[in-house]
Amino acid sequence: MASIESVTLDVADPAAASRFYTAAFGLDTQIRLRASEAPTTGFRGFTLALTVSQPATVNSLVEAALDAGATPLKPAAKSLWGYGGVVQAPDGTIWKVATSAKKDTGPATRQIDEIVLLLGVADVVASKRFYVDQGLAVAKSFGRMYVEFAAGSSPVNLALYRRRALAKVVGVSPDGTGSHRLMIGGDAGPFTDPDGFAWEAASPARTP
């Protein structure tokens, strides 16, 4: 079964981005960074989501991200599905921090239970078929709205959402042009999907 082994963000200043992600979310090896000035405007078509156990932890991570220089897109709040908020990192990547729990069961932590890469696509059904052909296995599927693939031992889950719907969820305009500023590493690559998201063959994590 194919899966994601790494997610690489193209950023203008990798050192500054590394400091941000360590301070905001405690991420180091899970997200890779590389220098790039590839032209991009507006919504890049994807969001990274952090799933946590309770609202207090959502607040803790969102506040840490804002203190580290993130821009608020949606304040943390209750919804039908739970509790969550959305911020934009200084490098432009959009991050959603959420939990399905509506009440706290203990003190806030910085524990992240799951990282999900949400790709905004033009046609969920067509993209689902494409990824199944690449060897990914479907875990959940809701018609033309949403698809989640089985993660296996991967540090990052992959899900597909309609682009316009994803933009609405994170509070931005769906319009955007240029580079996605994203490279996905996995055992299914290399290839480029129907929406221009590029995959490369997985490579070992770089050691400092």
Side-chain angles (χ1 to χ4, degrees):
M1 183 182 70
S3 63
I4 294 177
E5 296 300 326
S6 65
V7 172
T8 300
L9 301 176
D10 290 346
V11 300
D13 186 338
S18 178
R19 288 193 295 271
F20 169 81
Y21 287 119
T22 299
F25 304 133
L27 299 175
D28 43 35
T29 59
Q30 300 95 327
I31 301 296
R32 301 182 185 184
L33 305 165
R34 67 182 179 190
S36 173
E37 296 286 355
T40 186
T41 63
F43 184 43
R44 297 177 187 173
F46 76 93
T47 297
L48 280 156
L50 303 178
T51 303
V52 300
S53 64
Q54 60 179 353
T57 299
V58 172
N59 291 337
S60 174
L61 292 172
V62 168
E63 288 167 8
L66 296 176
D67 288 345
T71 301
L73 293 180
K74 278 194 171 182
K78 289 183 180 179
S79 70
L80 291 175
W81 46 261
Y83 185 87
V86 183
V87 299
Q88 187 167 30
D91 64 79
T93 304
I94 295 173
W95 291 80
K96 180 179 179 181
V97 186
T99 178
S100 59
K102 295 188 178 182
K103 294 183 179 180
D104 293 324
T105 56
T109 71
R110 288 173 59 80
Q111 176 66 39
I112 295 168
D113 297 332
E114 188 177 61
I115 303 174
V116 182
L117 172 60
L118 283 158
L119 300 183
V121 302
D123 186 330
V124 170
V125 173
S127 291
K128 171 186 171 183
R129 187 181 311 117
F130 174 86
Y131 277 108
V132 168
D133 288 345
Q134 304 305 317
L136 278 76
V138 174
K140 298 177 184 177
S141 182
F142 299 95
R144 297 183 176 276
M145 292 293 296
Y146 177 83
V147 174
E148 184 177 311
F149 296 97
S153 60
S154 171
V156 181
N157 288 8
L158 176 67
L160 308 177
Y161 213 54
R162 288 187 301 178
R163 180 185 172 101
R164 296 188 71 86
L166 180 58
K168 184 176 181 180
V169 164
V170 298
V172 299
S173 165
D175 299 328
T177 61
S179 172
H180 290 299
R181 292 283 189 102
L182 174 74
M183 178 62 73
I184 307 165
D187 43 15
F191 60 81
T192 300
D193 80 1
D195 294 273
F197 291 102
W199 287 59
E200 62 185 2
S203 59
R206 298 184 182 88
T207 54

